[in-house]
Amino acid sequence: MTVGVQRQPVGAAPAAPPARPPRGVRLSRLDQRYSPYLYIAPFFLLFGVFGLYPLAYTFWVSLHDWDLLGTEHAFVGAENYTKLMADPDFWHAVVNTLGIFVISTVPQLLLALWLANLLNRQLRARTTFRMAVLVPNVTSTAAVAIVFGVLFGREFGMINWLLDLVGVDPIGWKSNRFASWVAISAMVDWRWTGYNALIFLAAMQAIPRDLYESAAIDGANRARQFWSITVPLLKPTLIFTVIISTIGGLQLFTEPRLFHSGTNPIRGGPMRESQTMTMYMFENAFAPHYNFGYGSAVAWLLFALIAIVAAINVLMLRRLSGDGGGRTGKKGKRR
Amino acid sequence: MTRLWGASRLTYAALIAAGLMSIFPIYWMFVVASRSSDAMGQVPPPVTPGGNLGANIARLFSNTDAYFLTGLINSAIVATTVTVSVVFFSTLAGFAFAKLRFKGRNALLLVIVATMMVPTQLGVIPLYMLMTRLNWNDRLPAVIVPALVTGFGVFMMRQYASQAVSGELIEAARVDGCGTARIYWNVVLPALRPAAAVLGLLTFMTTWNDFLWPYAVLNDPENPTVQLSLRALSDGYYQDMSQVFTGTAIATLPLLLVFVLFGRQIIGGIMEGAVKA
């Protein structure tokens, strides 16, 4: 049995005294085998308790009639979901969320692409320009929401004052539904355009220069180079930013919440002009209703919506220029 | 390096315009913060600083609705604790994923990447229930403990450690009889320092700015974070805008200071991460 056991089988205790390696070696073996688990354990433990468990438990709660005061949490199956499907305020919030998402994300990513293209040239004071476009991203979201709320004020807001200078009547940025979407989108875009521009810029700088040189020799002008080389090669990055923007954009909360003040700001305006889904979740789950079951159902439907929209976006981007698996898709380009 | 695209005047003009639009709301915030409370009604709106900043700060700190000083102190405590913890656990786990061999490594790394895609705020309701059970509602542990680790941090450190930490050095240390813990402390951590600094800065800013979760769980107006103090100011019935803007300016100031000092590293971090993502 114990003849010449030199290499221990994995996980087995040392077989017999003669073949027993010295203590230090055994310790270091244990160390090499198990310490990695020790090092990654904190993340998984904490994330399990405060990240994963709440997420799964949300679904469980959403199947119950569950409020703060009740001691009985009756199982009601899909009742919260069927109620939501017939709840006009919920659908109103869904439309608001999607509306704000579309009119903020599309211009934001196009602007970021254009900015990145400008930043990718031979510039003096490169770092200064990069810092200038990134500075909105490091300011406090709450502070910015409050400041934009004032800029877009009806009576004394600077935006309406500027519009007045060019002869446009004042706009009710907080009382008109579409106008409030535009104002909130302006806030979101102001914060995220520069950030996305830097991400695009990083990807642009990874594109080999000789591609452009040979295109230039072939007589492609700058615009042609941009659409035929830069954009196709940026596709993985584009997909990445679209997914990130989808996750962030559909969960919008702080900006619309603080854009409104006064009575019941969680409703996003007197007629829920810009109440997003996360705000609606809060209104139901916390003050004033404390209906955890209903709020959790909103959370799960928001989760589903994010997954669906992200998938649609990725599919659309894939279609835009072939399947682009590392090839510069020359075909399928639409002008 | 071939000079491919020179920047034309038009490029500079466009970039300067973009820069000014980025900076203006922040600049204007400081303008209003330094003026008297009737600045809001003036036509045209003021665009140069006034001399009222000191008086506004005094009024802000004596405002009994906002608990602004408590908010500042709380935010400093929360952001510092979370930053130290995230950097420590992320470098530890990132090192393990990049440099150590163990069963299930790739699967577990995938799990971490997946956690970055899951919107954690969707778990807000059960998290709130959990805090009620732990009796942490209205208390700082409620906003500190769930943020002690981030998938983003682990992933970022793993990416950096794969290229910045030399395998030979680790092997040499092993031969010299160093245990894994000593290797982490004496070999890995020094090599990770630049990336760990960027992670620390980003974490500090994110935590300082966090609004949604504190808003849900810290309902005691006397114990806010600074962002919640801003909410109290802004939702107030008196619309004393110069005071509110003084608050937003002070809440933004630490972030701007960090950015002015370390902007280059932060930009580098964002761009490095983007290429590998």
Side-chain angles (χ1 to χ4, degrees):
Chain A
M1 274 304 280
T2 57
V3 184
V5 183
Q6 287 307 318
R7 273 161 302 150
Q8 303 274 339
V10 176
R20 207 178 170 131
R23 192 160 156 263
V25 175
R26 268 188 305 137
L27 264 181
S28 105
R29 243 184 232 163
L30 282 178
D31 167 48
Q32 285 201 42
R33 185 166 305 148
Y34 296 111
S35 64
Y37 294 109
L38 192 68
Y39 294 174
I40 62 173
F43 173 83
F44 284 98
L45 282 176
L46 280 161
F47 183 80
V49 175
F50 296 103
L52 200 63
Y53 153 79
L55 203 68
Y57 201 61
T58 303
F59 186 66
W60 179 244
V61 174
S62 76
L63 303 177
H64 292 76
D65 183 7
W66 198 311
D67 62 41
L68 186 69
L69 306 169
T71 43
E72 293 287 307
H73 308 306
F75 183 87
V76 294
E79 194 183 296
N80 284 319
Y81 292 91
T82 47
K83 261 196 216 154
L84 269 177
M85 288 296 147
D87 176 350
D89 288 339
F90 169 73
W91 288 110
H92 191 86
V94 172
V95 173
N96 284 345
T97 306
L98 288 170
I100 293 170
F101 170 68
V102 170
I103 59 175
S104 66
T105 308
V106 176
Q108 178 195 122
L109 292 181
L110 289 173
L111 264 174
L113 208 54
W114 176 71
L115 257 184
N117 198 29
L118 293 181
L119 288 166
N120 198 18
R121 295 177 185 174
Q122 296 282 339
L123 283 175
R124 291 204 188 113
R126 229 175 36 195
T127 309
T128 309
F129 282 122
R130 287 180 190 179
M131 279 177 75
V133 297
L134 190 66
V135 90
N137 195 257
V138 303
T139 53
S140 146
T141 318
V144 167
I146 292 168
V147 171
F148 272 66
V150 173
L151 281 170
F152 282 100
R154 191 188 169 93
E155 304 298 328
F156 305 114
M158 198 181 284
I159 305 285
N160 275 353
W161 175 75
L162 286 170
L163 288 174
D164 187 52
L165 288 185
V166 293
V168 178
D169 286 342
I171 293 172
W173 294 106
K174 292 180 190 177
S175 51
N176 174 302
R177 192 176 179 194
F178 185 73
S180 75
W181 291 2
V182 172
I184 289 164
S185 298
M187 219 184 296
V188 174
D189 286 1
W190 179 78
R191 185 178 188 82
W192 290 104
T193 304
Y195 176 88
N196 282 317
L198 288 184
I199 296 214
F200 289 146
L201 176 63
M204 282 177 186
Q205 291 180 336
I207 297 173
R209 294 238 149 184
D210 51 357
L211 281 178
Y212 292 105
E213 279 164 9
S214 50
I217 291 165
D218 289 344
N221 63 11
R222 217 188 253 178
R224 182 70 207 274
Q225 288 174 27
F226 179 74
W227 290 109
S228 302
I229 299 172
T230 311
V231 172
L233 286 177
L234 279 190
K235 217 167 60 171
T237 313
L238 271 168
I239 289 178
F240 171 77
T241 49
V242 163
I243 290 176
I244 297 293
S245 307
T246 306
I247 294 173
L250 294 179
Q251 292 188 80
L252 207 59
F253 175 81
T254 305
E255 288 92 338
R257 165 61 188 78
L258 287 168
F259 183 69
H260 297 277
S261 56
T263 47
N264 256 338
I266 197 71
R267 293 168 66 132
M271 304 295 290
R272 302 178 188 273
E273 285 81 356
S274 37
Q275 184 180 44
T276 59
M277 285 175 78
T278 307
M279 287 165 87
Y280 193 62
M281 177 186 98
F282 262 74
E283 189 190 353
N284 282 291
F286 303 117
H289 300 302
Y290 286 105
N291 186 339
F292 291 147
Y294 204 61
S296 297
V298 177
W300 263 93
L301 288 176
L302 172 58
F303 190 38
L305 186 77
I306 289 173
I308 293 165
V309 173
I312 292 172
N313 284 332
V314 170
L315 286 175
M316 272 183 0
L317 275 174
R318 284 226 172 126
R319 285 289 302 277
L320 271 180
S321 48
D323 62 346
R327 291 178 297 115
T328 47
K330 275 269 194 316
K331 56 179 186 354
K333 216 166 56 67
R334 287 168 211 151
R335 306 247 33 176
Chain B
M1 189 90 163
T2 47
R3 291 187 154 255
L4 262 174
W5 309 286
S8 63
R9 286 211 176 130
L10 208 60
T11 305
Y12 279 112
L15 282 174
I16 288 169
L20 287 177
M21 279 179 73
S22 297
I23 292 163
F24 180 76
I26 304 169
Y27 168 76
W28 189 67
M29 184 162 82
F30 283 90
V31 168
V32 176
S34 67
R35 288 185 163 257
S36 57
S37 47
D38 57 1
M40 274 290 121
Q42 286 173 15
V43 176
V47 287
T48 51
N52 257 15
L53 187 59
N56 288 340
I57 292 176
R59 270 189 312 147
L60 171 67
F61 280 99
S62 60
N63 181 329
T64 48
D65 289 337
Y67 294 94
F68 197 78
L69 186 61
T70 315
L72 276 177
I73 295 167
N74 278 345
S75 279
I77 294 170
V78 172
T80 309
T81 316
V82 167
T83 300
V84 170
S85 160
V86 164
V87 169
F88 176 67
F89 287 131
S90 299
T91 48
L92 206 55
F95 155 57
F97 276 117
K99 291 289 160 189
L100 302 176
R101 286 203 209 97
F102 53 97
K103 269 212 184 87
R105 183 172 79 164
N106 295 343
L108 288 171
L109 188 64
L110 262 181
V111 171
I112 292 202
V113 174
T115 65
M116 287 158 60
M117 287 290 162
V118 174
T120 32
Q121 58 152 274
L122 297 188
V124 153
I125 296 165
L127 204 51
Y128 179 89
M129 294 152 93
L130 185 65
M131 294 305 163
T132 311
R133 199 168 303 169
L134 292 167
N135 211 356
W136 284 357
N137 271 355
D138 298 337
R139 294 171 47 212
L140 291 189
V143 288
I144 293 174
V145 177
L148 289 176
V149 293
T150 58
F152 168 78
V154 174
F155 189 70
M156 179 178 164
M157 289 304 107
R158 186 250 167 206
Q159 296 300 80
Y160 190 79
S162 334
Q163 40 144 330
V165 182
S166 98
E168 282 116 38
L169 215 52
I170 292 180
E171 278 312 306
R174 280 225 192 276
V175 172
D176 289 346
C178 284
T180 317
R182 270 198 65 180
I183 291 176
Y184 164 77
W185 194 250
N186 292 335
V187 177
V188 176
L189 215 47
L192 288 182
R193 193 170 299 156
V198 173
L199 175 64
L201 293 170
L202 293 175
T203 306
F204 186 89
M205 290 182 179
T206 312
T207 314
W208 180 270
N209 277 336
D210 198 18
F211 179 80
L212 181 136
W213 175 237
Y215 176 81
V217 79
L218 300 180
N219 291 306
D220 176 3
E222 294 186 26
N223 193 32
T225 62
V226 75
Q227 311 300 335
L228 295 182
S229 297
L230 294 183
R231 183 203 63 81
L233 282 171
S234 143
D235 282 349
Y237 290 108
Y238 54 91
Q239 284 290 316
D240 178 0
M241 273 307 151
S242 62
Q243 191 189 24
V244 176
F245 275 43
T246 305
T248 60
I250 293 175
T252 309
L253 203 56
L255 301 166
L256 291 178
L257 281 178
V258 167
F259 191 64
V260 166
L261 291 173
F262 305 104
R264 202 178 285 264
Q265 287 86 329
I266 292 170
I267 288 169
I270 288 173
M271 289 177 67
E272 289 251 325
V275 179
K276 288 190 221 84

